[in-house]
């Protein structure tokens, strides 16, 4: 006998299900060991299209595999009536009960009879539509269930009110928020559609930010070419994502609330005071509450945030429809964070969070691209001590043994510039192999810190060494740092060697992450650098020679130190970079990093190279063309624009193709005579 339509559909859904390994295994272990846990309610929540119903379908399969009974009710079908919910469960129980007892009594008897024989999983989907029926479910229905029952409550919002505040309910509930899929999930999904190219995965990742429904909407129909469904990010097909945004905005029908949403999309995290500043008027508490009640608004340590894809889709629409207002909102947000930053620096307050938020408005694409993908991190650091030294050594051995190639992908939401860095395994090993833990620990308290995950596992290692009399001799002979010491003048060397107090100089000896591709770990790394920057130090660092590190240093204001190059990593010469933020130099750095939320690097250097104004070119191609006309090499242009040489080459080739020219000389001459030159003649 052949398959039914239902069996075929289930098989195809399984074949294209990716990610959610943690959520699946968590449920499996909980159900398998239900009697060992006190909790009986799993609250699954996430914004529209995050895959909640899809995941419940997988939970049903797992329940069947483990011999449990799985019953489900879509709350929307109950239409606010308890009897409809009860009738659905009684029908699914497949038990023959012809008594005249009330529906509630009959339902409890049937469900509890099943639970006495085997575990029962009871799933409520679409719980955001529960309305007044919530009180009945909580006070009448659930209390009568057998303890061998696991209840799944799925909806756009987490359970609130009495669910959260009553001690008894708090002990029964585990909350499981659904996050976006990661890059490898995207790769796996596309492979199942026969698409192997990394460029396609890059495009889909940057366009969907891992949102499951957005990914599904971009899926090609059988008759379509799969590659046609996934165009590059700079040529997006906006209809699927616009349809998704329209679905979200149904929760915010009023013009006032949508205006608040546009303002909220201009910032990463917000609160009532910030939105009032961005809008230029006071936001009443009731309107702010209406905003934070939306399903795609989540509370974080930094404040409230729009779900990533919602924020970016709104932001893009806002820029297209109201560019001047969008610019004004971004500029006000940058002004707000700058004022908080200056206020904190003057009073000696910790302004690390304000600095990190303000860098989202920096005038270079690398920083904006990095912070576009920055994730909240629950990791924490601790100093290296005798007690954890053995664990730290094992971390280094494991990293050297298991290091794999990694790829970092990000893009600037303002210019659309993409950055793709591939780092070989030998690059990570080369730096970590030169980290002598015991010697670094002797450099002083807090010189080397371990980064731990919430479970306590070491996932990173940061070594920032004070350069002073106590550490001078070691730094002078240690690989990597010795190049910096050798570059000092005799007077500078003598002053440091004889110093008894803090010189204000810090050598960044190691910045290692177990998984460079993980966005929250990269956020931890940048924060580890922001701390000494804000503390007002002269920072010195010599990372391996690679565009990822070079652009990262340049974007934060570091400058190459002539005469301090070395080959301690093996192969290509590695430069040494310095950044001085002592005294008034910190404020000069802040001014240099952010000269206006909407200026591009080319616009800032307009007195040196006027960008070409041809409408046929993208924003970044115009920037490259401006410097090309000045005769700069690809490497020099890359340095000016904070992009890789490969990116410059790509833009040059694109312009050659557009104008049918053979080389960069012909291209520069074309711009001189036909565009800029022609405009001035």
């Amino acid at each position: 006998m052949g398959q039914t339509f239902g069996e075929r559909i289930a098989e195809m859904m399984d074949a294209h299900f990716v990610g959610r390994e943690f959520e699946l295994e968590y449920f499996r272990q909980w159900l398998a060991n239900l009697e060992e846990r006190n909790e009986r309610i799993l609250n699954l929540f996430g914004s529209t299209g995050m895959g909640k119903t899809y995941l419940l379908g997988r939970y049903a399969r797992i329940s069947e595999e483990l011999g449990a009974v799985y019953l489900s009710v879509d709350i929307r079908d109950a239409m606010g009536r308890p009897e409809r919910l009860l009738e659905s469960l009684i029908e699914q129980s497949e038990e023959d009960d012809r008594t005249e007892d009330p529906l509630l009594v009959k339902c409890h008897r049937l469900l509890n009879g099943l639970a006495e024989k085997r575990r029962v999983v009871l799933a409520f989907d679409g719980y955001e539509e529960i309305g007044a029926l919530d009180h009945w479910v909580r006070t009448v229905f659930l209390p009568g269930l057998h303890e061998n029952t696991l209840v799944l409550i799925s909806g756009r919002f987490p359970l609130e009110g009495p669910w959260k505040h009553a001690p008894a309910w708090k002990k029964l509930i585990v909350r499981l928020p659904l996050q976006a899929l990661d890059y490898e999930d995207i790769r796996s999904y596309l492979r199942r559609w026969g698409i192997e190219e990394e460029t396609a995965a890059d495009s889909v990742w940057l366009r969907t930010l891992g949102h499951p429904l957005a990914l599904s909407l971009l899926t090609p129909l059988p008759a379509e070419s799969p590659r046609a469904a996934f165009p590059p990010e700079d040529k997006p097909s906006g209809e699927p994502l616009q349809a998704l945004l329209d679905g979200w905005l149904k929760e915010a029908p009023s013009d006032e609330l949508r205006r608040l949403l546009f303002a909220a999309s201009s910032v990463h995290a917000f609160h009532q005071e910030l939105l009032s500043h961005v809008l230029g008027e006071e936001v009443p508490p009731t309107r702010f509450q209406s905003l934070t009640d939306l399903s795609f608004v989540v509370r974080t340590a930094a404040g409230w945030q729009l779900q990533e894809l919602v924020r970016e889709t709104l932001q893009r629409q806002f820029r297209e429809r109201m560019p001047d207002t969008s610019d004004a909102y971004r500029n006000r947000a940058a002004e707000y964070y700058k004022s908080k930053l200056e206020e904190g620096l003057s009073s000696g307050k910790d302004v690390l969070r304000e600095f990190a938020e303000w860098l989202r408005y920096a005038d270079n694409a690398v920083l904006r691209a990095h912070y576009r993908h920055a994730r909240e991190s629950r990791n924490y650091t601790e100093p290296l001590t005798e007690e954890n030294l053995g664990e730290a050594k094992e971390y280094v051995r494991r990293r050297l043994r298991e290091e794999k190639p990694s790829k970092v992908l990000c893009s600037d939401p303002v210019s659309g510039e993409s950055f793709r860095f591939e780092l070989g395994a030998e690059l990570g090993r080369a730096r970590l192999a030169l980290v002598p833990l015991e010697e670094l620990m002797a450099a002083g308290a807090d010189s080397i810190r371990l980064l731990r995950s919430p479970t306590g596992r070491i996932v990173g290692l940061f070594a920032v060494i004070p350069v002073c009399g106590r550490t001078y001799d070691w730094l002078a002979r240690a690989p990597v740092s010795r190049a910096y010491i050798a570059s000092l003048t005799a007077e500078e060397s003598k002053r440091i060697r004889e110093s008894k107090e803090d010189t204000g100089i810090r050598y960044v000896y190691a910045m290692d992450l177990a998984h460079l591709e993980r966005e929250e770990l990269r956020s931890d790394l940048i924060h580890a650098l922001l701390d000494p920057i804000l503390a007002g130090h002269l920072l010195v660092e010599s990372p391996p020679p690679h565009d990822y590190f070079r652009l990262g240093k340049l974007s934060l204001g570091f400058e190459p130190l002539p005469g301090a190059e070395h080959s301690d990593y093996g192969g290509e010469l590695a430069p040494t970079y310095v950044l001085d933020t002592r005294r008034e130099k910190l404020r000069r750095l802040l001014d240099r990093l952010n000269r206006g939320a909407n200026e591009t690097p080319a616009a800032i250097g307009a007195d040196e190279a006027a960008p070409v104004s041809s409408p046929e070119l993208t924003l970044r191609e115009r920037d490259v063309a401006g410097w090309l006309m000045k005769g700069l090499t690809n490497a020099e242009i890359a340095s000016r624009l904070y992009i890789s040489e490969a990116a410059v080459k790509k833009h040059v080739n694109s312009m050659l193709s557009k104008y049918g020219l053979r080389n960069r000389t012909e291209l520069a001459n074309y711009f001189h005579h036909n565009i800029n030159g022609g405009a001035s003649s």
Side-chain angles (χ1 to χ4, degrees):
M1 182 178 177
Q3 283 184 314
T4 64
F5 274 17
E7 290 169 338
R8 175 66 63 87
I9 290 170
E11 184 180 278
M12 293 176 68
M13 290 178 71
D14 281 349
H16 291 90
F17 186 92
V18 296
R20 306 301 186 210
E21 286 83 3
F22 171 80
E23 290 85 354
L24 293 172
E25 186 59 24
Y26 186 86
F27 175 77
R28 182 183 296 277
Q29 293 300 323
W30 190 357
L31 183 57
N33 303 283
L34 189 60
E35 66 281 354
E36 299 176 9
R37 302 193 55 152
N38 292 321
E39 303 91 345
R40 286 297 182 272
I41 299 175
L42 181 60
N43 180 205
L44 189 71
F45 61 93
S47 63
T48 300
M50 200 52 73
K52 300 179 292 294
T53 301
Y54 221 144
L55 186 57
L56 288 180
R58 296 304 294 261
Y59 284 173
R61 299 290 187 85
I62 293 173
S63 300
E64 183 180 347
E65 292 170 12
L66 295 178
V69 177
Y70 185 92
L71 308 174
S72 65
V73 174
D74 190 320
I75 292 300
R76 289 156 290 202
D77 294 337
M79 301 175 65
R81 295 165 56 188
E83 59 271 21
R84 291 180 67 94
L85 185 151
L86 295 170
E87 287 169 351
S88 175
L89 292 174
I90 291 171
E91 182 179 349
Q92 292 179 67
S93 72
E94 298 182 354
E95 295 290 325
D96 187 14
D97 189 330
R98 301 182 183 182
T99 64
E100 298 298 324
D101 291 333
L103 285 174
L104 178 63
V105 173
K106 184 185 296 188
C107 187
H108 275 156
R109 182 168 62 242
L110 293 173
L111 296 182
N112 293 341
L114 291 171
E116 288 176 357
K117 303 172 187 175
R118 50 183 178 155
R119 285 154 296 182
V120 172
V121 178
L122 180 56
F124 295 115
D125 195 10
Y127 204 80
E128 69 275 4
E129 303 287 344
I130 191 69
L133 196 56
D134 175 73
H135 182 267
W136 176 85
V137 169
R138 181 169 31 82
T139 61
V140 177
F141 179 71
L142 293 184
L145 295 178
H146 192 283
E147 65 176 356
N148 205 27
T149 303
L150 173 58
V151 178
L152 304 177
I153 296 182
S154 172
R156 293 203 301 266
F157 309 98
L159 294 173
E160 298 287 355
W163 295 100
K164 186 175 181 180
H165 301 132
W169 284 115
K170 286 177 69 174
K171 292 180 179 179
L172 285 174
I173 298 171
V174 171
R175 289 173 168 79
L176 188 60
L178 279 191
Q179 306 294 339
L181 302 173
D182 62 26
Y183 179 82
E184 285 307 315
D185 293 331
I186 301 293
R187 289 294 313 274
S188 176
Y189 180 84
L190 293 182
R191 286 191 189 105
R192 297 181 188 192
W193 284 96
I195 300 174
E196 295 288 343
E197 295 91 336
E198 279 192 307
T199 53
D202 293 353
S203 172
V204 173
W205 165 248
L206 293 172
R207 290 178 59 201
T208 67
L209 298 176
H211 191 281
L213 182 55
L215 178 61
S216 177
L217 288 172
L218 293 175
T219 299
L221 296 172
E224 295 178 334
S225 164
R227 290 163 185 78
F230 303 119
E233 193 188 19
D234 60 354
K235 297 179 180 178
S237 172
E239 292 183 7
L241 298 188
Q242 184 59 49
L244 187 55
L245 177 63
D246 291 342
W248 279 314
L249 292 182
K250 288 179 181 177
E251 293 184 39
S254 72
D255 290 340
E256 281 299 311
L257 191 50
R258 293 197 178 192
R259 184 164 173 255
L260 272 184
L261 277 173
F262 280 132
S265 75
S266 303
V267 297
H268 174 249
F270 61 87
H271 43 70
Q272 193 171 340
E273 178 185 300
L274 175 56
L275 283 192
S276 296
H277 186 90
V278 169
L279 284 165
E281 63 185 54
E282 191 67 30
V283 176
T286 52
R287 281 171 54 201
F288 186 78
Q289 182 68 48
S290 298
L291 174 65
T292 58
D293 282 345
L294 299 173
S295 70
F296 46 85
V297 177
V298 295
R299 182 71 184 269
T300 70
W304 284 267
Q305 293 179 352
L306 301 182
Q307 194 275 336
E308 272 189 291
L309 188 61
V310 178
R311 183 178 73 245
E312 295 226 346
T313 310
L314 267 176
Q315 196 177 81
R316 189 179 302 114
Q317 185 183 90
F318 191 25
R319 284 199 302 266
E320 290 172 354
R321 294 185 180 182
M322 294 177 280
D324 292 342
T325 306
S326 174
D327 288 349
Y329 283 7
R330 282 182 56 82
N331 285 332
R332 288 176 194 162
E335 290 167 2
Y336 176 88
Y337 281 117
K338 186 176 183 182
S339 67
K340 292 296 181 183
L341 187 54
E342 292 176 341
E343 177 186 313
L345 290 172
S346 300
S347 60
K349 293 180 181 177
D350 179 7
V351 289
L352 179 60
R353 186 179 295 279
E354 287 78 6
F355 190 26
E357 291 296 330
W358 179 72
L359 286 175
R360 296 176 186 278
Y361 304 93
D363 66 10
N364 73 72
V366 174
L367 281 179
R368 292 196 301 260
H370 170 80
Y371 278 105
R372 176 192 183 190
H373 301 274
R375 296 281 177 92
E376 288 291 324
S377 173
R378 295 187 296 132
N379 303 322
Y380 61 95
T381 64
E382 66 181 26
L384 180 66
T385 63
E386 291 290 348
E387 287 73 24
N388 57 30
L389 179 58
E391 194 178 357
K393 287 182 176 180
E394 175 54 33
Y395 166 79
V396 172
R397 285 193 293 269
R398 186 176 72 249
R399 290 277 291 108
L400 292 174
R401 184 175 64 248
E402 300 176 358
E403 177 71 333
K404 299 177 180 178
S406 57
K407 183 179 73 171
V408 176
L409 176 68
C410 55
S411 69
D412 172 25
V414 176
S415 68
E417 183 72 25
S418 295
F419 301 90
R420 189 176 191 273
F421 305 101
E422 295 190 22
L423 297 91
E426 68 284 352
L427 208 63
R429 291 195 190 101
R431 193 174 198 184
L432 202 54
L434 301 177
V435 177
L437 293 175
E438 282 121 325
E439 295 178 48
L440 287 171
M441 188 168 63
D446 283 5
S447 290
I448 183 165
R449 300 190 68 83
L450 305 178
L451 180 68
R452 291 188 183 271
S453 71
T455 63
R457 183 180 176 87
I458 298 178
V459 291
L461 181 153
F462 308 139
V464 183
I465 311 300
V467 181
C468 56
R470 176 170 48 83
T471 63
Y472 180 90
D473 289 339
W474 182 83
L475 290 169
R477 66 175 183 270
V480 183
S481 60
R482 60 191 175 191
Y484 165 66
I485 298 297
S487 73
L488 298 173
T489 65
E491 182 182 346
E492 290 170 331
S493 293
K494 183 175 184 296
R495 179 174 57 82
I496 294 172
R497 191 169 53 248
E498 296 178 355
S499 63
K500 303 296 183 184
E501 299 179 353
D502 189 353
T503 62
I505 306 174
R506 298 290 185 272
Y507 196 95
V508 183
Y509 197 86
M511 285 279 164
D512 183 75
L513 296 176
H515 304 285
L516 192 60
E517 294 177 338
R518 287 174 52 183
E519 293 167 333
E520 81 278 3
L521 289 182
R522 297 205 304 276
S523 297
D524 291 324
L525 184 146
I526 195 88
H527 287 164
L529 268 179
L530 296 186
D531 259 333
I533 288 175
L534 288 172
H537 294 305
L538 172 65
L539 291 180
V540 187
E541 184 177 2
S542 183
H546 189 282
D547 265 348
Y548 174 74
F549 300 110
R550 181 182 70 84
L551 294 177
K553 297 302 103 182
L554 293 176
S555 69
L556 279 172
F558 282 78
E559 297 177 350
L561 179 64
E565 300 82 5
H566 63 87
S567 56
D568 289 335
Y569 294 120
E572 186 181 346
L573 278 178
T576 296
Y577 301 92
V578 294
L579 173 63
D580 195 350
T581 64
R582 293 172 295 186
R583 296 176 291 279
E584 76 285 350
K585 293 177 182 176
L586 174 58
R587 282 184 167 79
R588 288 211 295 267
L589 170 68
L590 299 181
D591 289 338
R592 190 164 80 248
L593 286 176
N594 194 324
R595 308 186 199 191
N598 301 293
E599 293 183 72
T600 66
I604 292 168
D607 57 328
E608 299 178 54
V612 170
S613 58
S614 171
E616 298 175 5
L617 303 179
T618 66
L619 174 64
R620 183 60 78 197
E621 287 171 349
R622 296 175 202 174
D623 294 343
V624 170
W627 291 110
L628 183 67
M629 291 166 61
K630 287 287 184 179
L632 271 65
T633 65
N634 285 356
E636 290 169 332
I637 296 173
S639 179
R640 294 291 201 287
L641 298 179
Y642 303 101
I643 61 177
S644 67
E645 288 184 54
V648 174
K649 184 177 180 181
K650 181 192 76 171
H651 293 309
V652 170
N653 288 337
S654 173
M655 290 186 285
L656 289 172
S657 176
K658 286 180 180 180
Y659 294 111
L661 301 173
R662 293 174 296 178
N663 55 52
R664 55 192 294 123
T665 302
E666 289 186 4
L667 190 61
N669 289 335
Y670 176 85
F671 288 138
H672 274 299
H673 295 100
N674 295 281
I675 299 180
N676 287 27
S680 60
S681 58

